[in-house]
Amino acid sequence: MAHYKYEPFDYVTPPEVAGGETRQYQVAIIGAGPIGLAAAIDLALHDVPTVVVDDNNVVSVGSRAICWSKRTLEIFDRLGVGERMLEKGVTWKVGRLFHRDHEVYNFDLLPEDGHKMPAFINLQQYYVEQYLVERAREFPDLIDLRFKNKVIAQDLADDGVTLQIETPDGPYSLRADYVIACDGAGSPTRHRMGLRFDGHTFHEQFLIADVDMPESPFKTEHPERWFWFDPPFHNGQSALLHKQPDNIYRIDLQLGPDADAEEEKKEVNVLPRIRAMVGDKPFTLDWVSVYKFTCARLERFVHGRMIFAGDSAHVVSPFGARGGNGGIQDTDNLCWKLAMIIKGDASDALLETYDQERRHGSDENLLNSSRATNFMTPKSQMEAIFRNETLILAETMPFARKLVNSGRLSEPCSLTGHDLQTPAEPDPAGLDPGMSCPDAPVLNQGKESWLLDHLGGRFVLLTIGDVALPDSPVEIDHLSVTTRGSDAGTLEDHRQFVADRYGDVTAYLIRPDQHIAARFEGAVSAAALNEALKRARGQQS
Amino acid sequence: MTNGSTMHLDDRLGADGDDFYHHLMEAHEGLSLEQSQNLNARLVLIMANQIGDIDILKSVLTAAVEAGR
Ligand SMILES: Cc1cc2nc3c(=O)[nH]c(=O)nc-3n(C[C@H](O)[C@H](O)[C@H](O)COP(=O)(O)OP(=O)(O)OC[C@H]3O[C@@H](n4cnc5c(N)ncnc54)[C@H](O)[C@@H]3O)c2cc1C
């Protein structure tokens, strides 16, 4: 299988440099990584034009992120690229955990039926970025993608930001009402603004390699995630094996804190390590890197008109796949809010809720990634003893399996308890405000469809079963799901998944990012709906 | 402490105290220090699951740490 072909994106002289018409932009995005691109597409879907500047002109070199979670796929689906990613990606559900030379246990990630998207797919970051760029290009009037445009300075004012940008044809400045800094883990914007990025760097080093291997190393037909503690082929360390499309396998090998990164990266040293792991199957190296991981975040993500999202705002170790997946949840949370502000439907106060909600999401990711990294890299003899005995117990005792931590895989973040949500009494049959909407199969005028295809992008009143509707009209889209359903605007819950997951005779106010803002039992009054809607739009504190 | 759960510092084993202590020593009998450390680690983990209440576990941990100061 041919290796991925990096096609450089065209550089076009920006109008500011060419002497053509220049304009003031509503939103400028620094960085065309997965997060910046997702933000541009999301804003375009809200009719908000953006200019995206990136200092580079190719997609991510080397695979980097490979595991994309169900929630990310649902967001990508709303952006119009989810199905393409799903089709190309490798779907996996089963993980196996090995200790030394034997399997300790295995798990199935998505045992329940009735979701459009699987728990996870593996897809190289370069494909994700390529698909996002191609999708962005479907909005030529709304997304102005500028490669080889490097931001070198920013000047923040109360009503906007001026960026200084360098291009092969010379410098120019660009003014935008809002700037989203998606310039990655080393964020030059963050550095220039002198913002603290507090956290913890782990001393442990990891060799990360992508290997092109036609013959599967897995014993089963379906690709899986295999993780080893102290395997015979890599004594005392941990190892991870994952399949990506095009017969590329991701291999992570823990190297310890004292390894010489430059030496370890050399092919002569990498090949024997991989051979020890996969045996004498033919393979070639596609990409190799040695990493140390940091878990850190900005104190605040919003600084006046400068907004941080993705790795520029927070970084995590990759165990749990929470970096890219966390960043995509940032833009999902941010873009509808920013669009409302730009259209004059909300004040800057709504941005504060992005800061609040995503700092919470980021803390969850930092906590989980740090704990996984700690479990993998015992700092003392006693930590090593506890880990070892946990692994021994896990062979026979189910409770101990829950303690084994080879990464707590990214889950949708719950926003319960934050300002925009109307609190509700916990209800075991329903979903709490703040949760992201679970998917479910439905029939739309007789045709197979998915609930999430009908939510998102706008506020929706979702009613399930015979809910008494508002006594006076409220300006909001209404989506009704019933077990009969068939008329336009009504979905049929033909397999009862919606009622099972959401409760029957219940109504919800759904945010544009498919999170639940409020729940109503049995009936929705206009007053209650208006109140919840006002609150969810940040128009009341 | 929530859930009305409490850590007990008063005696709960009663007449079985000596019996428990005997079994604990017996479990360690003939083990090297290293093997005993491993056994203790397993014991802590299994007992923690048996207690099954994070608030109690946190107070138990604190109590053990403090007592050793
Ligand atoms: C080994 C490894 C494995 C990983 N595995 C996973 C995984 O399985 N799942 C997952 O979700 N995440 C994973 N991650 C994390 C994931 O790669 C990142 O979270 C993700 O790339 C963040 O995207 P971003 O758009 O914020 O930043 P980036 O992808 O870093 O993009 C930043 C962009 O900004 C541009 N830029 C920088 N400076 C400037 C400037 N001055 N002017 C203009 N443009 C600029 C850069 O060229 C770049 O294109 C992994 C990371 C690593 C290293």
Side-chain angles (χ1 to χ4, degrees), chain A residues 184-230:
Chain A
S187 174
T189 309
R190 190 183 69 218
H191 284 289
R192 282 190 306 263
M193 286 174 64
L195 301 175
R196 280 171 53 185
F197 201 52
D198 289 337
H200 177 71
T201 297
F202 294 87
H203 298 300
E204 199 69 26
Q205 299 183 84
F206 291 84
L207 176 78
I208 313 237
D210 281 346
V211 166
D212 189 337
M213 186 163 54
E215 203 183 317
S216 167
F218 297 117
K219 314 239 164 356
T220 51
E221 189 186 333
H222 297 290
E224 301 181 342
R225 174 192 197 259
W226 284 9
F227 192 97
W228 291 262
F229 287 105
D230 195 10

Side-chain angles (χ1 to χ4, degrees), chain A residues 8 12 31 78 93 99 109 132 163 176 227 268 361:
Chain A
V12 180
R78 186 171 62 71
K93 293 196 306 175
H99 184 209
L109 280 178
L132 288 169
L163 298 177
F227 192 97
V268 287

Side-chain angles (χ1 to χ4, degrees), chain A residues 260-457:
Chain A
D260 179 337
E262 286 315 308
E263 278 300 308
E264 290 292 348
K265 263 189 266 190
K266 289 184 182 157
E267 196 161 318
V268 287
N269 296 322
V270 176
L271 292 179
R273 290 200 185 283
I274 293 174
R275 223 169 273 131
M277 183 172 182
V278 303
D280 48 14
K281 293 178 184 62
F283 67 84
T284 52
L285 286 182
D286 189 49
W287 172 71
V288 179
S289 198
V290 172
Y291 283 93
K292 260 189 200 167
F293 295 112
T294 298
C295 289
R297 78 156 164 82
L298 280 172
E299 224 166 311
R300 300 181 47 78
F301 297 173
V302 178
H303 294 260
R305 295 296 181 96
M306 180 68 83
I307 306 159
F308 290 84
D311 275 11
S312 69
H314 44 71
V315 291
V316 291
S317 63
F319 311 107
R322 289 168 177 269
N325 288 306
I328 294 296
Q329 291 184 51
D330 288 351
T331 59
D332 188 42
N333 189 296
L334 170 65
C335 290
W336 65 270
K337 295 175 180 174
L338 193 53
M340 277 184 67
I341 294 167
I342 283 168
K343 290 174 188 168
D345 296 332
S347 74
D348 274 359
L350 192 57
L351 272 187
E352 287 303 309
T353 71
Y354 160 72
D355 197 69
Q356 182 197 69
E357 293 183 342
R358 288 314 300 164
R359 272 193 282 145
H360 156 72
S362 165
D363 282 344
E364 216 171 77
N365 291 331
L366 285 160
L367 184 73
N368 281 290
S369 310
S370 304
R371 286 180 172 176
T373 316
N374 282 331
F375 191 87
M376 254 172 254
T377 59
K379 284 188 301 299
S380 67
Q381 236 180 318
M382 201 60 217
E383 279 193 21
I385 289 173
F386 269 112
R387 189 182 82 178
N388 201 44
E389 299 311 309
T390 303
L391 286 163
I392 288 171
L393 294 182
E395 291 181 27
T396 49
M397 302 183 194
F399 89 83
R401 290 172 197 165
K402 303 269 287 181
L403 300 179
V404 174
N405 194 344
S406 71
R408 299 281 177 242
L409 290 164
S410 174
E411 300 229 6
C413 169
S414 169
L415 305 171
T416 302
H418 289 274
D419 291 352
L420 299 186
Q421 283 64 254
T422 302
E425 289 296 316
D427 171 7
L431 300 166
D432 291 335
M435 290 174 72
S436 75
C437 291
D439 205 0
V442 289
L443 288 183
N444 180 20
Q445 298 185 283
K447 283 218 284 289
E448 301 265 346
S449 180
W450 295 98
L451 180 62
L452 288 188
D453 288 344
H454 303 270
L455 299 172

Side-chain angles (χ1 to χ4, degrees), chain A residues 31 34-35 54-55 64-67 125 151 182-183 291 311 323-325:
Chain A
I35 311 310
D54 193 284
D55 59 348
R64 293 165 75 205
I66 61 164
C67 297
Q125 185 159 339
V151 176
C182 307
D183 47 358
Y291 283 93
D311 275 11
N325 288 306

